[in-house]
Amino acid sequence: LDANLDGCLGSPRTLALRHTLLGYFLPASPCDSDDEILRRTLTGAYSDIKFKLGIPASRVGGYHPLKACRTCMEEDEGSRGRAYWHVEHQLPSVLACAKHLVLLQWVNDVATPVHRRGWILPRMGLDREWLEMPMVSQAQLERLTHLATLSSAWARLEPGSLDGRQLARTYQSAFRARGWVTSAGSLRLSNLVSAVRSHFEGLESLPGLAPLRSIPADWPGLVGSLAR
């Protein structure tokens, strides 16, 4: 794209970080790891990138179905003549459109979207089956919309820009403010786990949130890791 279009779409680095899902996975990675991933991504095929990014181990998985907001597609067609895929809607933790406050639709298919060249635009090319998200309450929709806003902000961060030690201090401060730390400094894990499960209650079956359902026994380990 950079060579054939004389750079009019931005640098290869910008394309990789802002127009694919790559930028979503790099903010909390070590800088030297990010540099290597970006270098290999820009120079050719990278067969083990999912493992380098920690995707299989994260339980998020590597299958990210294409998603779209019906209202966004209609607005795009009215203003630009055709709808297009919005990168912020493709982030694994985004299930709602933060602009229109509605749940996204997703394309049902067993194959990874990269193998469907005819899906280059949402409403043109090959036929596809659109699925609707299950109905949620207003409170759940607000949580999903907030999660979408946070996810988009996260994906815009520079690679390696988050300091793990500072993140831990931030979590520790929040835990203390909510009474989830004892006077001796130990975490009140049962309170913390209960709060997390309550926040996401009823959302575990939605596409992309399956890890919530698959790791109930590991939440103490998860929150302990965040605090450290």
Side-chain angles (χ1 to χ4, degrees):
L1 286 174
D2 177 62
N4 292 340
L5 299 176
D6 198 25
C8 68
L9 295 182
S11 69
R13 187 178 190 277
T14 298
L15 286 171
L17 292 177
R18 301 294 173 249
H19 297 280
T20 76
L21 295 186
L22 184 60
Y24 177 85
F25 293 100
L26 297 183
S29 301
C31 289
D32 55 348
S33 174
D34 289 344
D35 290 341
E36 173 64 16
I37 289 171
L38 269 172
R39 185 162 53 251
R40 290 184 60 185
T41 301
L42 299 177
T43 55
Y46 195 173
S47 59
D48 58 344
I49 188 172
K50 291 180 182 178
F51 294 94
K52 291 294 184 181
L53 292 172
I55 293 175
S58 72
R59 301 176 192 249
V60 173
Y63 174 64
H64 306 307
L66 288 164
K67 295 171 286 186
C69 166
R70 190 192 307 271
T71 306
C72 282
M73 288 192 288
E74 293 171 353
E75 288 184 352
D76 294 341
E77 289 174 338
S79 62
R80 295 176 171 83
R82 65 189 66 189
Y84 62 93
W85 299 110
H86 292 226
V87 175
E88 63 268 22
H89 291 161
Q90 313 315 319
L91 304 179
S93 51
V94 173
L95 303 177
C97 176
K99 178 181 179 181
H100 296 111
L101 309 181
V102 296
L103 294 176
L104 300 174
Q105 300 174 287
W106 84 96
V107 179
N108 182 38
D109 195 78
V110 296
T112 303
V114 72
H115 300 301
R116 295 288 187 256
R117 305 298 184 187
W119 291 1
I120 195 167
L121 294 173
R123 288 184 168 176
M124 300 178 70
L126 295 176
D127 290 336
R128 72 219 60 184
E129 179 187 10
W130 286 100
L131 298 180
E132 302 283 348
M133 298 281 181
M135 294 293 293
V136 298
S137 67
Q138 183 60 36
Q140 289 172 325
L141 178 59
E142 290 174 358
R143 287 171 185 161
L144 290 174
T145 303
H146 187 216
L147 181 59
T149 301
L150 292 174
S151 300
S152 295
W154 173 279
R156 289 193 298 271
L157 294 172
E158 283 297 305
S161 60
L162 293 175
D163 184 331
R165 291 170 298 180
Q166 182 61 41
L167 279 176
R169 288 193 290 269
T170 301
Y171 279 115
Q172 291 163 12
S173 176
F175 292 165
R176 291 192 184 93
R178 288 162 174 76
W180 294 341
V181 180
T182 67
S183 57
S186 300
L187 292 175
R188 301 183 190 275
L189 289 176
S190 60
N191 298 53
L192 207 160
V193 172
S194 176
V196 173
R197 288 179 176 160
S198 175
H199 183 80
F200 289 105
E201 185 177 6
L203 301 176
E204 303 91 337
S205 63
L206 296 181
L209 295 187
L212 293 172
R213 186 174 62 245
S214 66
I215 57 174
D218 293 344
W219 274 115
L222 171 66
V223 298
S225 296
L226 292 176
R228 288 192 295 272

